[in-house]
Amino acid sequence: MRLRNDRYEEALTRPAQSSYPTTSQEQAKMDQRSYNATASSVPARPPQPKPSATIAPASYTTPFMDFLTQNPTVFHAVAHFSKKLEDNGFTKLSERELWTGGKLKKGGKYLVERNGSSLIAFVVGGEYKPGNGAAIIAGHIDALTARLKPIPKLQTKAGFVQLGVGPYAGGLNNTWFDRDLGIGGRVLVRDEKSGKIVTKLVKLGWPIARIPTLAPHFGIPTSGPFNKETQLVPIIGLDNSDLSSSSSEQENSWKAGILGGEGTFAATQPERLVKAIAKELEIDDVSTIVNWELELFDTQPAQVGGLDKEFIFAGRIDDKLCSYAAFEALLLSTSSSSSPYSYGGGPDESGVIKVLGLFDDEEIGSELRQGAFGNFLPSVLERALEGLAGPETFGSNLISQAYANSFLVSADVTHAVNPNFLQVYLENHAPRLNVGVSIEADPNGNTTTDAVSASIFQRVAQKCGSKLQVFQIRNDTRSGGTVGPMLSSKTGIRALDAGIPQLSMHSIRATTGSLDPGLGVKVFAGFYDYFEEVDQEFA
């Protein structure tokens, strides 16, 4: 711009070349022609790079690890994302209220929660028109865990106080032995002033529980398989008071419990656990605790490892990893700043709706209302379409048009190649760490990827400077599933499955590359940045 202004000033002050006298009007015309000729010779300002092209993947390593450590449960993760969205200009919508009547606007940023464990955020482009599509990234935010049973009080055995827990999905597998386990989740409390029941999040981050292994000296019983009901029961304390009790008292100590106890919920829970949670939440009267959903989690912080710190070792990587990367990508793509840490909040001028969906319950089939198989995403999309189009043009025809113009990236972690078990991987389909996101293919429909969707995503990757890998399971191995097929089949939206590679999937402690969170942000932000442009290349 500076060069153009200098030449403009020079054109205005340059003397006329004609030897004939001119009027002021003629001189002005000559000056304007001279300026136009000069301006046309100055090259136009090159387009500014989109945020996805400016990402330094290493800048996301520490923030991702902090996110994992500080948000151990699905409720904490959703609350973290919701707060950060609101801090960056997103308006929180309630499913219980109408979204019509001008509530949604072009350029607007919105978020919706369901059950405190699923979240959808969307940004309406400034050039959006009814019938235009949506660029959607969807994944799951739940992780394998062990949840407290409704009445987790157990009879003391050999002086050990134990806790009744049940495995969520593949939780309580053998990797849970001898780990330092904390307790966290959500607690429903009746507010003493208003009388309303409110939700509070709790995290007892020090090691409270442990599932001890049997020493190898005991022979055959140490090799398993182990009974999750009787042999993977956490210990949480000691109580040797039975040493001074009569045998009849011990025999009568076991009895059926009544939910809510004799008057309060707290009466059905381990007394010392109730006190610890009440202290953490500053609750004076434990009778105000109405209920809770608590789970165990590995308390060891996420950390980098390897000779050059090229790994991340952490719990709950599946799938806080893709969730985090997609979330940061949405913020980056819809802001005026390309810094990973400074979101300028500028308007998004695209013609599409950029959508992020993070769902609970994927690990157990997604069939609850907060899962991807429920109506959460179609409901939010259709209500948004109605709110933006108005009642005159909204209808099934517009919904189908918008879905046909949309594209879904189903983002879920995929298997990185394990050097100790190369024989289980398909040749040319074994993703590496710190290289890039992997497209996931499956000939039996467990993923959504096809030639068209893969080509679209490849063009996106080219435009934002990302590398893509590919993963497919061997014919003699069982494939896992994602949220992609259920969302795509329900709406008809074109879709692709892609994920960030990790080792030790479904272990309590897993591994990914230290650059992989940032590489995920880069290509996911590239999808938000370039989908609208790339889509025009396809007939």
Side-chain angles (χ1 to χ4, degrees):
M1 292 294 290
R2 182 62 183 167
L3 175 63
R4 184 171 181 173
N5 286 341
D6 287 346
R7 292 192 179 182
Y8 174 54
E9 293 167 5
E10 179 185 355
L12 291 180
T13 57
R14 184 183 301 131
Q17 300 300 310
S18 171
S19 59
Y20 295 94
T22 58
T23 65
S24 59
Q25 187 175 12
E26 290 172 333
Q27 182 66 55
K29 289 181 179 179
M30 292 173 62
D31 290 343
Q32 184 62 47
R33 285 195 297 270
S34 176
Y35 167 68
N36 289 342
T38 303
S40 63
S41 67
V42 178
R45 183 185 181 189
Q48 294 299 299
K50 294 190 177 183
S52 55
T54 66
I55 288 175
S59 63
Y60 287 93
T61 303
T62 298
F64 171 65
M65 293 192 300
D66 291 342
F67 162 72
L68 282 181
T69 302
Q70 296 165 10
N71 300 283
T73 76
V74 65
F75 303 113
H76 287 87
V78 168
H80 167 86
F81 286 148
S82 291
K83 182 180 185 305
K84 198 166 183 179
L85 287 168
E86 291 187 83
D87 289 345
N88 285 278
F90 283 69
T91 299
K92 193 169 188 177
L93 302 173
S94 170
E95 287 193 278
R96 294 188 175 192
E97 299 175 358
L98 290 174
W99 298 357
T100 53
K103 195 165 190 174
L104 306 183
K105 303 181 183 300
K106 294 180 182 180
K109 303 179 179 183
Y110 308 96
L111 74 108
V112 192
E113 284 186 26
R114 181 176 282 189
N115 188 50
S117 62
S118 291
L119 176 147
I120 294 176
F122 62 97
V123 178
V124 184
E127 299 299 319
Y128 171 80
K129 296 178 181 178
N132 285 8
I136 308 165
I137 301 178
H140 72 94
I141 198 169
D142 58 318
L144 271 62
T145 187
R147 292 181 172 172
L148 272 64
K149 295 178 178 178
I151 302 177
K153 291 174 70 173
L154 298 177
Q155 183 179 3
T156 300
K157 296 178 182 177
F160 286 98
V161 179
Q162 294 182 284
L163 190 65
V165 298
Y168 174 83
L172 287 187
N173 59 48
N174 290 358
T175 66
W176 283 65
F177 278 118
D178 297 328
R179 300 298 304 179
D180 297 339
L181 304 174
I183 295 178
R186 65 176 174 182
V187 181
L188 276 63
V189 182
R190 187 178 298 279
D191 185 87
E192 295 185 86
K193 293 182 179 179
S194 67
K196 291 186 175 295
I197 296 173
V198 297
T199 298
K200 297 186 177 183
L201 300 186
V202 67
K203 177 177 62 177
L204 304 181
W206 69 93
I208 293 175
R210 195 174 183 89
I211 303 172
T213 54
L214 182 64
H217 309 73
F218 289 93
I220 293 176
T222 66
S223 60
F226 300 102
N227 188 306
K228 293 184 179 182
E229 182 62 34
T230 60
Q231 295 174 316
L232 283 101
V233 185
I235 57 173
I236 60 172
L238 292 172
D239 180 3
N240 290 316
S241 61
D242 62 303
L243 293 177
S244 59
S245 302
S246 66
S247 60
S248 60
E249 289 176 338
Q250 295 178 46
E251 292 171 358
N252 294 330
S253 63
W254 192 97
K255 62 179 181 179
I258 301 173
L259 188 61
E262 298 177 3
T264 66
F265 169 80
T268 66
Q269 308 301 305
E271 182 178 355
R272 282 188 280 175
L273 178 60
V274 172
K275 290 181 179 178
I277 289 174
K279 181 179 180 181
E280 186 73 15
L281 296 179
E282 299 181 345
I283 298 173
D284 296 325
D285 183 1
V286 297
S287 68
T288 61
I289 299 176
V290 176
N291 211 320
W292 61 35
E293 273 181 89
L294 302 178
E295 64 186 55
L296 303 180
F297 62 89
D298 181 29
T299 60
Q300 185 177 353
Q303 59 190 38
V304 290
L307 290 173
D308 294 318
K309 299 182 178 180
E310 54 264 74
F311 301 124
I312 293 175
F313 304 140
R316 303 172 293 279
I317 285 180
D318 180 8
D319 194 8
K320 302 293 191 293
L321 177 54
C322 287
S323 296
Y324 171 87
F327 172 83
E328 292 292 335
L330 179 69
L331 285 183
L332 189 70
S333 176
T334 57
S335 70
S336 62
S337 170
S338 60
S339 165
Y341 306 106
S342 174
Y343 304 115
D348 181 80
E349 296 301 331
S350 71
V352 299
I353 303 175
K354 299 178 180 180
V355 183
L356 170 68
L358 302 177
F359 298 96
D360 193 8
D361 297 326
E362 188 272 348
E363 295 289 2
I364 56 171
S366 300
E367 293 188 354
L368 301 180
R369 72 184 189 95
Q370 59 269 18
F373 199 72
N375 74 333
F376 193 20
L377 182 64
S379 172
V380 168
L381 290 177
E382 290 169 20
R383 295 183 71 179
L385 294 175
E386 182 183 17
L388 292 165
E392 299 82 7
T393 56
F394 178 74
S396 60
N397 198 28
L398 181 69
I399 294 171
S400 296
Q401 180 188 14
Y403 282 167
N405 286 323
S406 299
F407 193 94
L408 164 71
V409 174
S410 169
D412 198 353
V413 289
T414 193
H415 300 285
V417 62
N418 186 322
N420 298 326
F421 300 92
L422 293 178
Q423 73 279 6
V424 306
Y425 293 86
L426 183 63
E427 186 179 5
N428 300 320
H429 298 76
R432 299 186 179 191
L433 301 180
N434 286 341
V435 172
V437 165
S438 176
I439 291 177
E440 300 169 9
D442 184 271
N444 295 303
N446 289 301
T447 65
T448 59
T449 305
D450 58 28
V452 174
S453 63
S455 298
I456 290 174
F457 201 61
Q458 284 174 302
R459 284 292 291 136
V460 164
Q462 289 170 1
K463 285 183 171 292
C464 68
S466 292
K467 292 182 180 179
L468 293 179
Q469 306 184 79
V470 63
F471 175 81
Q472 182 169 309
I473 206 79
R474 283 168 53 105
N475 295 341
D476 52 4
T477 306
R478 182 176 64 90
S479 175
T482 71
V483 302
M486 61 189 73
L487 293 174
S488 179
S489 63
K490 184 173 291 188
T491 59
I493 294 174
R494 295 167 293 168
L496 167 131
D497 273 271
I500 302 173
Q502 70 155 97
L503 288 169
S504 307
M505 191 178 295
H506 288 190
S507 172
I508 195 171
R509 194 87 178 162
T511 300
T512 191
S514 58
L515 298 181
D516 281 317
L519 292 172
V521 176
K522 183 177 181 66
V523 74
F524 292 153
F527 169 69
Y528 284 132
D529 286 344
Y530 293 105
F531 163 69
E532 186 178 11
E533 179 181 325
V534 168
D535 194 37
Q536 300 303 312
E537 299 177 12
F538 289 77

